[in-house]
PDB file of all heavy atoms in Angstrom:
ATOM      1  N   GLU H 128     267.032 113.700 -13.643  1.00 93.00           N
ATOM      2  CA  GLU H 128     267.040 114.850 -14.540  1.00 93.00           C
ATOM      3  C   GLU H 128     265.636 115.114 -15.061  1.00 93.00           C
ATOM      4  O   GLU H 128     264.797 114.224 -15.108  1.00 93.00           O
ATOM      5  CB  GLU H 128     268.006 114.658 -15.705  1.00 93.00           C
ATOM      6  CG  GLU H 128     267.629 113.561 -16.657  1.00 93.00           C
ATOM      7  CD  GLU H 128     268.607 113.402 -17.799  1.00 93.00           C
ATOM      8  OE1 GLU H 128     269.743 113.856 -17.696  1.00 93.00           O
ATOM      9  OE2 GLU H 128     268.209 112.806 -18.808  1.00 93.00           O
ATOM     10  N   TYR H 129     265.438 116.362 -15.440  1.00 91.00           N
ATOM     11  CA  TYR H 129     264.176 116.794 -16.040  1.00 91.00           C
ATOM     12  C   TYR H 129     264.527 117.496 -17.343  1.00 91.00           C
ATOM     13  O   TYR H 129     265.359 118.407 -17.362  1.00 91.00           O
ATOM     14  CB  TYR H 129     263.438 117.744 -15.098  1.00 91.00           C
ATOM     15  CG  TYR H 129     262.167 118.292 -15.679  1.00 91.00           C
ATOM     16  CD1 TYR H 129     261.064 117.469 -15.868  1.00 91.00           C
ATOM     17  CD2 TYR H 129     262.071 119.615 -16.049  1.00 91.00           C
ATOM     18  CE1 TYR H 129     259.889 117.974 -16.415  1.00 91.00           C
ATOM     19  CE2 TYR H 129     260.904 120.126 -16.600  1.00 91.00           C
ATOM     20  CZ  TYR H 129     259.821 119.295 -16.771  1.00 91.00           C
ATOM     21  OH  TYR H 129     258.670 119.796 -17.314  1.00 91.00           O
ATOM     22  N   ASP H 130     263.906 117.095 -18.445  1.00 85.00           N
ATOM     23  CA  ASP H 130     264.256 117.657 -19.757  1.00 85.00           C
ATOM     24  C   ASP H 130     263.109 118.444 -20.389  1.00 85.00           C
ATOM     25  O   ASP H 130     263.016 118.534 -21.596  1.00 85.00           O
ATOM     26  CB  ASP H 130     264.742 116.567 -20.698  1.00 85.00           C
ATOM     27  CG  ASP H 130     263.672 115.541 -21.037  1.00 85.00           C
ATOM     28  OD1 ASP H 130     262.517 115.705 -20.620  1.00 85.00           O
ATOM     29  OD2 ASP H 130     264.004 114.571 -21.729  1.00 85.00           O
ATOM     30  N   SER H 131     262.232 119.005 -19.593  1.00 84.00           N
ATOM     31  CA  SER H 131     261.068 119.794 -19.973  1.00 84.00           C
ATOM     32  C   SER H 131     259.914 118.941 -20.488  1.00 84.00           C
ATOM     33  O   SER H 131     258.832 119.460 -20.727  1.00 84.00           O
ATOM     34  CB  SER H 131     261.396 120.898 -20.977  1.00 84.00           C
ATOM     35  OG  SER H 131     261.499 120.392 -22.285  1.00 84.00           O
ATOM     36  N   LYS H 132     260.128 117.655 -20.662  1.00 85.00           N
ATOM     37  CA  LYS H 132     259.061 116.758 -21.106  1.00 85.00           C
ATOM     38  C   LYS H 132     258.887 115.567 -20.183  1.00 85.00           C
ATOM     39  O   LYS H 132     257.796 115.041 -20.057  1.00 85.00           O
ATOM     40  CB  LYS H 132     259.347 116.248 -22.517  1.00 85.00           C
ATOM     41  CG  LYS H 132     259.338 117.322 -23.568  1.00 85.00           C
ATOM     42  CD  LYS H 132     259.650 116.746 -24.913  1.00 85.00           C
ATOM     43  CE  LYS H 132     259.742 117.875 -25.930  1.00 85.00           C
ATOM     44  NZ  LYS H 132     260.187 117.406 -27.228  1.00 85.00           N
ATOM     45  N   SER H 133     259.968 115.108 -19.557  1.00 89.00           N
ATOM     46  CA  SER H 133     259.888 113.910 -18.738  1.00 89.00           C
ATOM     47  C   SER H 133     260.923 113.947 -17.623  1.00 89.00           C
ATOM     48  O   SER H 133     261.872 114.727 -17.656  1.00 89.00           O
ATOM     49  CB  SER H 133     260.104 112.665 -19.607  1.00 89.00           C
ATOM     50  OG  SER H 133     261.384 112.708 -20.202  1.00 89.00           O
ATOM     51  N   VAL H 134     260.716 113.069 -16.657  1.00 91.00           N
ATOM     52  CA  VAL H 134     261.656 112.895 -15.556  1.00 91.00           C
ATOM     53  C   VAL H 134     262.378 111.574 -15.788  1.00 91.00           C
ATOM     54  O   VAL H 134     261.744 110.543 -16.015  1.00 91.00           O
ATOM     55  CB  VAL H 134     260.924 112.867 -14.198  1.00 91.00           C
ATOM     56  CG1 VAL H 134     261.884 112.534 -13.077  1.00 91.00           C
ATOM     57  CG2 VAL H 134     260.229 114.181 -13.944  1.00 91.00           C
ATOM     58  N   ASN H 135     263.692 111.612 -15.749  1.00 92.00           N
ATOM     59  CA  ASN H 135     264.508 110.428 -15.951  1.00 92.00           C
ATOM     60  C   ASN H 135     265.326 110.192 -14.685  1.00 92.00           C
ATOM     61  O   ASN H 135     265.865 111.128 -14.108  1.00 92.00           O
ATOM     62  CB  ASN H 135     265.447 110.621 -17.137  1.00 92.00           C
ATOM     63  CG  ASN H 135     264.696 111.031 -18.383  1.00 92.00           C
ATOM     64  OD1 ASN H 135     263.680 110.451 -18.716  1.00 92.00           O
ATOM     65  ND2 ASN H 135     265.175 112.055 -19.056  1.00 92.00           N
ATOM     66  N   ILE H 136     265.407 108.931 -14.263  1.00 95.00           N
ATOM     67  CA  ILE H 136     266.221 108.597 -13.103  1.00 95.00           C
ATOM     68  C   ILE H 136     267.152 107.446 -13.474  1.00 95.00           C
ATOM     69  O   ILE H 136     266.863 106.667 -14.382  1.00 95.00           O
ATOM     70  CB  ILE H 136     265.379 108.216 -11.874  1.00 95.00           C
ATOM     71  CG1 ILE H 136     264.523 106.979 -12.150  1.00 95.00           C
ATOM     72  CG2 ILE H 136     264.523 109.376 -11.416  1.00 95.00           C
ATOM     73  CD1 ILE H 136     263.909 106.384 -10.923  1.00 95.00           C
ATOM     74  N   GLY H 137     268.261 107.374 -12.791  1.00 95.00           N
ATOM     75  CA  GLY H 137     269.202 106.303 -13.060  1.00 95.00           C
ATOM     76  C   GLY H 137     270.250 106.212 -11.977  1.00 95.00           C
ATOM     77  O   GLY H 137     270.259 106.988 -11.024  1.00 95.00           O
ATOM     78  N   GLY H 138     271.113 105.272 -12.142  1.00 96.00           N
ATOM     79  CA  GLY H 138     272.181 105.099 -11.178  1.00 96.00           C
ATOM     80  C   GLY H 138     273.238 104.156 -11.695  1.00 96.00           C
ATOM     81  O   GLY H 138     273.046 103.442 -12.682  1.00 96.00           O
ATOM     82  N   SER H 139     274.356 104.189 -11.006  1.00 95.00           N
ATOM     83  CA  SER H 139     275.441 103.267 -11.335  1.00 95.00           C
ATOM     84  C   SER H 139     276.178 102.917 -10.049  1.00 95.00           C
ATOM     85  O   SER H 139     276.149 103.664  -9.071  1.00 95.00           O
ATOM     86  CB  SER H 139     276.406 103.888 -12.351  1.00 95.00           C
ATOM     87  OG  SER H 139     277.079 104.990 -11.775  1.00 95.00           O
ATOM     88  N   ILE H 140     276.815 101.785 -10.091  1.00 96.00           N
ATOM     89  CA  ILE H 140     277.603 101.338  -8.949  1.00 96.00           C
ATOM     90  C   ILE H 140     278.848 100.631  -9.477  1.00 96.00           C
ATOM     91  O   ILE H 140     278.790  99.917 -10.486  1.00 96.00           O
ATOM     92  CB  ILE H 140     276.778 100.424  -8.015  1.00 96.00           C
ATOM     93  CG1 ILE H 140     277.552 100.150  -6.725  1.00 96.00           C
ATOM     94  CG2 ILE H 140     276.357  99.152  -8.706  1.00 96.00           C
ATOM     95  CD1 ILE H 140     276.706  99.542  -5.643  1.00 96.00           C
ATOM     96  N   LEU H 141     279.964 100.878  -8.839  1.00 94.00           N
ATOM     97  CA  LEU H 141     281.235 100.232  -9.178  1.00 94.00           C
ATOM     98  C   LEU H 141     281.551  99.227  -8.085  1.00 94.00           C
ATOM     99  O   LEU H 141     281.643  99.576  -6.907  1.00 94.00           O
ATOM    100  CB  LEU H 141     282.355 101.277  -9.276  1.00 94.00           C
ATOM    101  CG  LEU H 141     283.756 100.760  -9.520  1.00 94.00           C
ATOM    102  CD1 LEU H 141     283.859 100.067 -10.874  1.00 94.00           C
ATOM    103  CD2 LEU H 141     284.761 101.897  -9.433  1.00 94.00           C
ATOM    104  N   LEU H 142     281.695  97.974  -8.473  1.00 94.00           N
ATOM    105  CA  LEU H 142     282.008  96.911  -7.523  1.00 94.00           C
ATOM    106  C   LEU H 142     283.380  96.317  -7.818  1.00 94.00           C
ATOM    107  O   LEU H 142     283.747  96.155  -8.992  1.00 94.00           O
ATOM    108  CB  LEU H 142     280.952  95.806  -7.594  1.00 94.00           C
ATOM    109  CG  LEU H 142     279.523  96.218  -7.280  1.00 94.00           C
ATOM    110  CD1 LEU H 142     278.576  95.058  -7.536  1.00 94.00           C
ATOM    111  CD2 LEU H 142     279.415  96.686  -5.844  1.00 94.00           C
ATOM    112  N   PHE H 143     284.111  96.017  -6.799  1.00 92.00           N
ATOM    113  CA  PHE H 143     285.426  95.372  -6.902  1.00 92.00           C
ATOM    114  C   PHE H 143     286.417  96.183  -7.730  1.00 92.00           C
ATOM    115  O   PHE H 143     287.317  95.629  -8.353  1.00 92.00           O
ATOM    116  CB  PHE H 143     285.307  93.956  -7.477  1.00 92.00           C
ATOM    117  CG  PHE H 143     284.239  93.135  -6.827  1.00 92.00           C
ATOM    118  CD1 PHE H 143     283.119  92.754  -7.529  1.00 92.00           C
ATOM    119  CD2 PHE H 143     284.351  92.760  -5.498  1.00 92.00           C
ATOM    120  CE1 PHE H 143     282.124  92.002  -6.935  1.00 92.00           C
ATOM    121  CE2 PHE H 143     283.356  92.011  -4.890  1.00 92.00           C
ATOM    122  CZ  PHE H 143     282.244  91.623  -5.616  1.00 92.00           C
ATOM    123  N   LYS H 144     286.244  97.495  -7.807  1.00 88.00           N
ATOM    124  CA  LYS H 144     287.105  98.429  -8.543  1.00 88.00           C
ATOM    125  C   LYS H 144     287.161  98.154 -10.044  1.00 88.00           C
ATOM    126  O   LYS H 144     287.964  98.725 -10.759  1.00 88.00           O
ATOM    127  CB  LYS H 144     288.525  98.439  -7.978  1.00 88.00           C
ATOM    128  CG  LYS H 144     288.609  98.911  -6.555  1.00 88.00           C
ATOM    129  CD  LYS H 144     290.035  98.939  -6.089  1.00 88.00           C
ATOM    130  CE  LYS H 144     290.106  99.376  -4.637  1.00 88.00           C
ATOM    131  NZ  LYS H 144     291.472  99.441  -4.157  1.00 88.00           N
ATOM    132  N   ARG H 145     286.315  97.293 -10.559  1.00 92.00           N
ATOM    133  CA  ARG H 145     286.371  96.929 -11.979  1.00 92.00           C
ATOM    134  C   ARG H 145     285.010  96.808 -12.657  1.00 92.00           C
ATOM    135  O   ARG H 145     284.891  96.980 -13.846  1.00 92.00           O
ATOM    136  CB  ARG H 145     287.085  95.584 -12.145  1.00 92.00           C
ATOM    137  CG  ARG H 145     288.500  95.574 -11.690  1.00 92.00           C
ATOM    138  CD  ARG H 145     289.384  95.903 -12.847  1.00 92.00           C
ATOM    139  NE  ARG H 145     290.773  95.760 -12.452  1.00 92.00           N
ATOM    140  CZ  ARG H 145     291.684  96.662 -12.674  1.00 92.00           C
ATOM    141  NH1 ARG H 145     291.380  97.770 -13.292  1.00 92.00           N
ATOM    142  NH2 ARG H 145     292.913  96.488 -12.298  1.00 92.00           N
ATOM    143  N   LEU H 146     283.988  96.445 -11.942  1.00 96.00           N
ATOM    144  CA  LEU H 146     282.714  96.056 -12.538  1.00 96.00           C
ATOM    145  C   LEU H 146     281.655  97.134 -12.301  1.00 96.00           C
ATOM    146  O   LEU H 146     281.300  97.432 -11.162  1.00 96.00           O
ATOM    147  CB  LEU H 146     282.261  94.739 -11.923  1.00 96.00           C
ATOM    148  CG  LEU H 146     281.238  93.913 -12.643  1.00 96.00           C
ATOM    149  CD1 LEU H 146     281.674  93.584 -14.061  1.00 96.00           C
ATOM    150  CD2 LEU H 146     280.981  92.626 -11.883  1.00 96.00           C
ATOM    151  N   TYR H 147     281.161  97.733 -13.394  1.00 94.00           N
ATOM    152  CA  TYR H 147     280.108  98.749 -13.338  1.00 94.00           C
ATOM    153  C   TYR H 147     278.766  98.124 -13.657  1.00 94.00           C
ATOM    154  O   TYR H 147     278.630  97.381 -14.633  1.00 94.00           O
ATOM    155  CB  TYR H 147     280.340  99.828 -14.401  1.00 94.00           C
ATOM    156  CG  TYR H 147     281.192 100.979 -13.990  1.00 94.00           C
ATOM    157  CD1 TYR H 147     282.461 101.127 -14.526  1.00 94.00           C
ATOM    158  CD2 TYR H 147     280.731 101.936 -13.100  1.00 94.00           C
ATOM    159  CE1 TYR H 147     283.259 102.197 -14.176  1.00 94.00           C
ATOM    160  CE2 TYR H 147     281.523 103.000 -12.746  1.00 94.00           C
ATOM    161  CZ  TYR H 147     282.780 103.128 -13.284  1.00 94.00           C
ATOM    162  OH  TYR H 147     283.562 104.183 -12.932  1.00 94.00           O
ATOM    163  N   PHE H 148     277.777  98.428 -12.853  1.00 97.00           N
ATOM    164  CA  PHE H 148     276.390  98.108 -13.150  1.00 97.00           C
ATOM    165  C   PHE H 148     275.658  99.436 -13.254  1.00 97.00           C
ATOM    166  O   PHE H 148     275.841 100.304 -12.402  1.00 97.00           O
ATOM    167  CB  PHE H 148     275.756  97.267 -12.038  1.00 97.00           C
ATOM    168  CG  PHE H 148     276.281  95.868 -11.967  1.00 97.00           C
ATOM    169  CD1 PHE H 148     277.317  95.553 -11.113  1.00 97.00           C
ATOM    170  CD2 PHE H 148     275.729  94.876 -12.756  1.00 97.00           C
ATOM    171  CE1 PHE H 148     277.807  94.263 -11.038  1.00 97.00           C
ATOM    172  CE2 PHE H 148     276.215  93.585 -12.692  1.00 97.00           C
ATOM    173  CZ  PHE H 148     277.253  93.277 -11.831  1.00 97.00           C
ATOM    174  N   PHE H 149     274.853  99.613 -14.270  1.00 95.00           N
ATOM    175  CA  PHE H 149     274.126 100.867 -14.409  1.00 95.00           C
ATOM    176  C   PHE H 149     272.730 100.599 -14.959  1.00 95.00           C
ATOM    177  O   PHE H 149     272.499  99.617 -15.666  1.00 95.00           O
ATOM    178  CB  PHE H 149     274.884 101.864 -15.298  1.00 95.00           C
ATOM    179  CG  PHE H 149     275.340 101.317 -16.610  1.00 95.00           C
ATOM    180  CD1 PHE H 149     274.551 101.436 -17.735  1.00 95.00           C
ATOM    181  CD2 PHE H 149     276.561 100.683 -16.720  1.00 95.00           C
ATOM    182  CE1 PHE H 149     274.975 100.931 -18.950  1.00 95.00           C
ATOM    183  CE2 PHE H 149     276.998 100.177 -17.927  1.00 95.00           C
ATOM    184  CZ  PHE H 149     276.199 100.294 -19.053  1.00 95.00           C
ATOM    185  N   SER H 150     271.808 101.476 -14.585  1.00 96.00           N
ATOM    186  CA  SER H 150     270.434 101.359 -15.064  1.00 96.00           C
ATOM    187  C   SER H 150     269.806 102.743 -15.096  1.00 96.00           C
ATOM    188  O   SER H 150     270.282 103.673 -14.450  1.00 96.00           O
ATOM    189  CB  SER H 150     269.619 100.428 -14.171  1.00 96.00           C
ATOM    190  OG  SER H 150     269.498 100.990 -12.886  1.00 96.00           O
ATOM    191  N   MET H 151     268.732 102.856 -15.861  1.00 95.00           N
ATOM    192  CA  MET H 151     268.012 104.118 -15.949  1.00 95.00           C
ATOM    193  C   MET H 151     266.569 103.845 -16.347  1.00 95.00           C
ATOM    194  O   MET H 151     266.260 102.807 -16.910  1.00 95.00           O
ATOM    195  CB  MET H 151     268.669 105.085 -16.938  1.00 95.00           C
ATOM    196  CG  MET H 151     268.796 104.600 -18.350  1.00 95.00           C
ATOM    197  SD  MET H 151     267.559 105.108 -19.555  1.00 95.00           S
ATOM    198  CE  MET H 151     267.434 106.822 -19.365  1.00 95.00           C
ATOM    199  N   ALA H 152     265.722 104.810 -16.003  1.00 94.00           N
ATOM    200  CA  ALA H 152     264.310 104.753 -16.377  1.00 94.00           C
ATOM    201  C   ALA H 152     263.970 106.069 -17.058  1.00 94.00           C
ATOM    202  O   ALA H 152     264.009 107.122 -16.424  1.00 94.00           O
ATOM    203  CB  ALA H 152     263.439 104.540 -15.158  1.00 94.00           C
ATOM    204  N   GLN H 153     263.684 106.011 -18.340  1.00 89.00           N
ATOM    205  CA  GLN H 153     263.331 107.211 -19.094  1.00 89.00           C
ATOM    206  C   GLN H 153     261.834 107.426 -18.987  1.00 89.00           C
ATOM    207  O   GLN H 153     261.042 106.536 -19.309  1.00 89.00           O
ATOM    208  CB  GLN H 153     263.746 107.073 -20.545  1.00 89.00           C
ATOM    209  CG  GLN H 153     263.475 108.307 -21.361  1.00 89.00           C
ATOM    210  CD  GLN H 153     263.905 108.139 -22.797  1.00 89.00           C
ATOM    211  OE1 GLN H 153     264.146 107.029 -23.264  1.00 89.00           O
ATOM    212  NE2 GLN H 153     264.008 109.236 -23.502  1.00 89.00           N
ATOM    213  N   ASN H 154     261.456 108.608 -18.523  1.00 87.00           N
ATOM    214  CA  ASN H 154     260.062 108.977 -18.337  1.00 87.00           C
ATOM    215  C   ASN H 154     259.335 107.991 -17.429  1.00 87.00           C
ATOM    216  O   ASN H 154     258.126 107.810 -17.524  1.00 87.00           O
ATOM    217  CB  ASN H 154     259.345 109.114 -19.677  1.00 87.00           C
ATOM    218  CG  ASN H 154     258.101 109.959 -19.567  1.00 87.00           C
ATOM    219  OD1 ASN H 154     257.936 110.723 -18.622  1.00 87.00           O
ATOM    220  ND2 ASN H 154     257.214 109.829 -20.527  1.00 87.00           N
ATOM    221  N   MET H 155     260.072 107.319 -16.569  1.00 83.00           N
ATOM    222  CA  MET H 155     259.535 106.341 -15.618  1.00 83.00           C
ATOM    223  C   MET H 155     258.762 105.211 -16.314  1.00 83.00           C
ATOM    224  O   MET H 155     257.961 104.538 -15.711  1.00 83.00           O
ATOM    225  CB  MET H 155     258.648 107.035 -14.590  1.00 83.00           C
ATOM    226  CG  MET H 155     259.353 108.141 -13.818  1.00 83.00           C
ATOM    227  SD  MET H 155     260.807 107.577 -12.927  1.00 83.00           S
ATOM    228  CE  MET H 155     260.029 106.550 -11.716  1.00 83.00           C
ATOM    229  N   LYS H 156     259.035 105.002 -17.619  1.00 87.00           N
ATOM    230  CA  LYS H 156     258.348 103.962 -18.382  1.00 87.00           C
ATOM    231  C   LYS H 156     259.317 102.988 -19.037  1.00 87.00           C
ATOM    232  O   LYS H 156     259.063 101.795 -19.088  1.00 87.00           O
ATOM    233  CB  LYS H 156     257.498 104.585 -19.490  1.00 87.00           C
ATOM    234  CG  LYS H 156     256.337 105.380 -19.027  1.00 87.00           C
ATOM    235  CD  LYS H 156     255.586 105.912 -20.230  1.00 87.00           C
ATOM    236  CE  LYS H 156     254.453 106.812 -19.814  1.00 87.00           C
ATOM    237  NZ  LYS H 156     253.765 107.380 -20.968  1.00 87.00           N
ATOM    238  N   TYR H 157     260.391 103.511 -19.598  1.00 91.00           N
ATOM    239  CA  TYR H 157     261.300 102.701 -20.407  1.00 91.00           C
ATOM    240  C   TYR H 157     262.588 102.462 -19.631  1.00 91.00           C
ATOM    241  O   TYR H 157     263.310 103.395 -19.310  1.00 91.00           O
ATOM    242  CB  TYR H 157     261.596 103.417 -21.724  1.00 91.00           C
ATOM    243  CG  TYR H 157     260.348 103.875 -22.420  1.00 91.00           C
ATOM    244  CD1 TYR H 157     259.982 105.218 -22.411  1.00 91.00           C
ATOM    245  CD2 TYR H 157     259.511 102.963 -23.051  1.00 91.00           C
ATOM    246  CE1 TYR H 157     258.825 105.646 -23.026  1.00 91.00           C
ATOM    247  CE2 TYR H 157     258.346 103.379 -23.666  1.00 91.00           C
ATOM    248  CZ  TYR H 157     258.009 104.717 -23.654  1.00 91.00           C
ATOM    249  OH  TYR H 157     256.857 105.137 -24.258  1.00 91.00           O
ATOM    250  N   PHE H 158     262.870 101.209 -19.351  1.00 94.00           N
ATOM    251  CA  PHE H 158     264.022 100.859 -18.537  1.00 94.00           C
ATOM    252  C   PHE H 158     265.152 100.310 -19.387  1.00 94.00           C
ATOM    253  O   PHE H 158     264.920  99.615 -20.380  1.00 94.00           O
ATOM    254  CB  PHE H 158     263.628  99.831 -17.476  1.00 94.00           C
ATOM    255  CG  PHE H 158     262.678 100.384 -16.456  1.00 94.00           C
ATOM    256  CD1 PHE H 158     261.318 100.290 -16.635  1.00 94.00           C
ATOM    257  CD2 PHE H 158     263.153 101.021 -15.324  1.00 94.00           C
ATOM    258  CE1 PHE H 158     260.438 100.802 -15.711  1.00 94.00           C
ATOM    259  CE2 PHE H 158     262.293 101.552 -14.385  1.00 94.00           C
ATOM    260  CZ  PHE H 158     260.915 101.436 -14.584  1.00 94.00           C
ATOM    261  N   ALA H 159     266.357 100.643 -18.997  1.00 94.00           N
ATOM    262  CA  ALA H 159     267.554 100.145 -19.676  1.00 94.00           C
ATOM    263  C   ALA H 159     268.635  99.942 -18.638  1.00 94.00           C
ATOM    264  O   ALA H 159     268.602 100.523 -17.556  1.00 94.00           O
ATOM    265  CB  ALA H 159     268.016 101.133 -20.739  1.00 94.00           C
ATOM    266  N   GLY H 160     269.600  99.123 -18.964  1.00 96.00           N
ATOM    267  CA  GLY H 160     270.696  98.884 -18.038  1.00 96.00           C
ATOM    268  C   GLY H 160     271.832  98.181 -18.731  1.00 96.00           C
ATOM    269  O   GLY H 160     271.741  97.819 -19.901  1.00 96.00           O
ATOM    270  N   GLY H 161     272.889  98.007 -17.995  1.00 96.00           N
ATOM    271  CA  GLY H 161     274.032  97.333 -18.569  1.00 96.00           C
ATOM    272  C   GLY H 161     275.108  97.047 -17.551  1.00 96.00           C
ATOM    273  O   GLY H 161     275.023  97.443 -16.386  1.00 96.00           O
ATOM    274  N   VAL H 162     276.120  96.365 -18.027  1.00 97.00           N
ATOM    275  CA  VAL H 162     277.279  96.005 -17.222  1.00 97.00           C
ATOM    276  C   VAL H 162     278.513  96.350 -18.037  1.00 97.00           C
ATOM    277  O   VAL H 162     278.535  96.158 -19.249  1.00 97.00           O
ATOM    278  CB  VAL H 162     277.280  94.492 -16.905  1.00 97.00           C
ATOM    279  CG1 VAL H 162     278.494  94.094 -16.103  1.00 97.00           C
ATOM    280  CG2 VAL H 162     276.005  94.089 -16.183  1.00 97.00           C
ATOM    281  N   ALA H 163     279.521  96.876 -17.377  1.00 96.00           N
ATOM    282  CA  ALA H 163     280.779  97.197 -18.053  1.00 96.00           C
ATOM    283  C   ALA H 163     281.940  96.774 -17.163  1.00 96.00           C
ATOM    284  O   ALA H 163     281.846  96.801 -15.940  1.00 96.00           O
ATOM    285  CB  ALA H 163     280.873  98.692 -18.341  1.00 96.00           C
ATOM    286  N   TYR H 164     283.032  96.384 -17.799  1.00 95.00           N
ATOM    287  CA  TYR H 164     284.242  96.005 -17.081  1.00 95.00           C
ATOM    288  C   TYR H 164     285.271  97.109 -17.269  1.00 95.00           C
ATOM    289  O   TYR H 164     285.546  97.507 -18.417  1.00 95.00           O
ATOM    290  CB  TYR H 164     284.794  94.674 -17.606  1.00 95.00           C
ATOM    291  CG  TYR H 164     285.963  94.163 -16.797  1.00 95.00           C
ATOM    292  CD1 TYR H 164     285.745  93.566 -15.573  1.00 95.00           C
ATOM    293  CD2 TYR H 164     287.256  94.294 -17.260  1.00 95.00           C
ATOM    294  CE1 TYR H 164     286.802  93.096 -14.812  1.00 95.00           C
ATOM    295  CE2 TYR H 164     288.327  93.836 -16.515  1.00 95.00           C
ATOM    296  CZ  TYR H 164     288.096  93.250 -15.296  1.00 95.00           C
ATOM    297  OH  TYR H 164     289.133  92.795 -14.538  1.00 95.00           O
TER     298      TYR H 164
END
């Protein structure tokens, strides 16, 4: 996505129909991620 100030990229994947892994990079500088059941 582009929000007029920065480019943000991210993704998610669902494994075993239950486990989500997700991550993102805000402005290609600040990284975040997580896991959800």
Side-chain angles (χ1 to χ4, degrees):
E128 66 180 20
Y129 177 70
D130 65 5
S131 80
K132 295 179 184 174
S133 61
V134 174
N135 306 314
I136 61 168
S139 66
I140 189 167
L141 176 64
L142 300 174
F143 312 113
K144 297 182 182 181
R145 298 268 186 229
L146 199 56
Y147 271 110
F148 290 94
F149 50 92
S150 65
M151 59 98 49
Q153 183 180 16
N154 201 19
M155 303 302 292
K156 293 181 184 177
Y157 310 105
F158 294 91
V162 178
Y164 186 77

